[in-house]
Amino acid sequence: MKKLVYTFALLAAITFVACSSDSEGERPIGGDGMKSAYYIVNYAEGEFAVLQTPEHYWTLSYVPSSIKQYYSPESNVSPETWDVFKRIALRNGDTGYDGFLDEGEMNRCCFADNFRSIHFVSDADWDAAHPAGSSLDDIVTVMFSTYAPFVQSGYDRNASGLSWGVRTVYQHHASVLTEKEMAMIDWEGIGFYFDTAPDDPTQVHTITVTLQTVDGETLSVTGRGTPPWGDYEPIG
């Protein structure tokens, strides 16, 4: 079993502009930190795309030009987004932090949507058990980090299950992921790879990824290429 290095460095570089605009109206204000009722003070939504780097997994990410962000009132940014922000924070149970956020924490961001499910299909045969158009959920491993367990613990930094500081990393088959896990996902992306190689490892596939939000909206995105696969150790 190989070790997978889980990094969104390239993705972060591509999307950094969305969180670091030169406009004073598009970045958090508060010097080196601020007091906040919310742990997450920024949510984002946009149009998904499949990023085919690094080579070991693909990533679902927002197209930078499509991103819309919602800020907390305490950030002093974009007042027109505050009502939407408060509705999202209330849904996530993130209203009782009442603590100090340092500069790094002020720049943390989650997907505005929480999800009920994620599904994968290909337009080409994978193997005998997975012909074209059939579900690949049992052989696709999905990876992401989330702040939900930290928030749900009452902001306990020593709570069980935390993997990276206050974040929890999940690395599970798409077939077993639940709504509880797919909440407050770090907006750096949702990675995925296949556990086994297709019968023809050189075959180009169009992979369709379908997400259902907790609000009942269906989001679909496709990526075309030679899909990544490998037998990797769990992260975290």
Side-chain angles (χ1 to χ4, degrees):
M1 184 175 285
K2 296 174 288 184
K3 183 70 174 179
L4 178 67
V5 177
Y6 179 58
T7 174
F8 290 120
L10 177 60
L11 175 62
I14 291 172
T15 59
F16 181 74
V17 64
C19 270
S20 305
S21 167
D22 289 334
S23 167
E24 287 296 332
E26 293 299 331
R27 67 173 178 235
I29 297 170
D32 295 329
M34 68 180 185
K35 184 77 175 295
S36 177
Y38 315 94
Y39 186 74
I40 297 299
V41 296
N42 185 2
Y43 291 97
E45 64 179 2
E47 177 185 345
F48 275 116
V50 175
L51 186 68
Q52 296 185 22
T53 49
E55 62 179 309
H56 301 304
Y57 60 90
W58 288 358
T59 306
L60 289 178
S61 172
Y62 288 145
V63 176
S65 61
S66 74
I67 294 171
K68 181 173 178 59
Q69 292 176 267
Y70 305 103
Y71 296 95
S72 75
E74 294 152 322
S75 69
N76 236 2
V77 180
S78 302
E80 71 279 5
T81 71
W82 293 353
D83 286 344
V84 175
F85 171 89
K86 287 188 283 188
R87 288 198 295 271
I88 297 171
L90 181 63
R91 178 199 66 195
N92 289 337
D94 184 15
T95 59
Y97 181 65
D98 195 27
F100 186 81
L101 299 177
D102 63 28
E103 187 175 5
E105 290 173 315
M106 287 167 56
N107 287 312
R108 287 177 172 166
C109 184
C110 291
F111 288 150
D113 284 316
N114 292 342
F115 303 101
R116 286 179 178 159
S117 61
I118 183 169
H119 302 292
F120 297 81
V121 298
S122 173
D123 67 337
D125 294 340
W126 194 270
D127 55 29
H130 302 90
S134 65
S135 173
L136 299 172
D137 293 356
D138 63 322
I139 61 168
V140 178
T141 295
V142 180
M143 307 176 295
F144 56 85
S145 62
T146 166
Y147 296 96
F150 171 65
V151 171
Q152 292 163 4
S153 75
Y155 311 101
D156 180 359
R157 294 176 186 271
N158 297 311
S160 63
L162 302 184
S163 309
W164 292 350
V166 299
R167 290 184 292 178
T168 296
V169 175
Y170 290 117
Q171 185 179 359
H172 296 317
H173 283 138
S175 58
V176 301
L177 281 170
T178 66
E179 178 178 326
K180 180 179 179 180
E181 293 160 336
M182 300 186 72
M184 297 190 74
I185 295 175
D186 191 318
W187 87 314
E188 287 184 336
I190 299 173
F192 66 92
Y193 62 89
F194 296 80
D195 296 351
T196 59
D199 287 343
D200 178 1
T202 66
Q203 172 76 48
V204 173
H205 293 251
T206 297
I207 303 296
T208 299
V209 187
T210 303
L211 291 148
Q212 185 179 46
T213 73
V214 295
D215 297 320
E217 183 179 4
T218 299
L219 310 174
S220 292
V221 60
T222 60
R224 183 165 177 78
T226 304
W229 59 273
D231 181 21
Y232 296 112
E233 296 177 18
I235 300 167

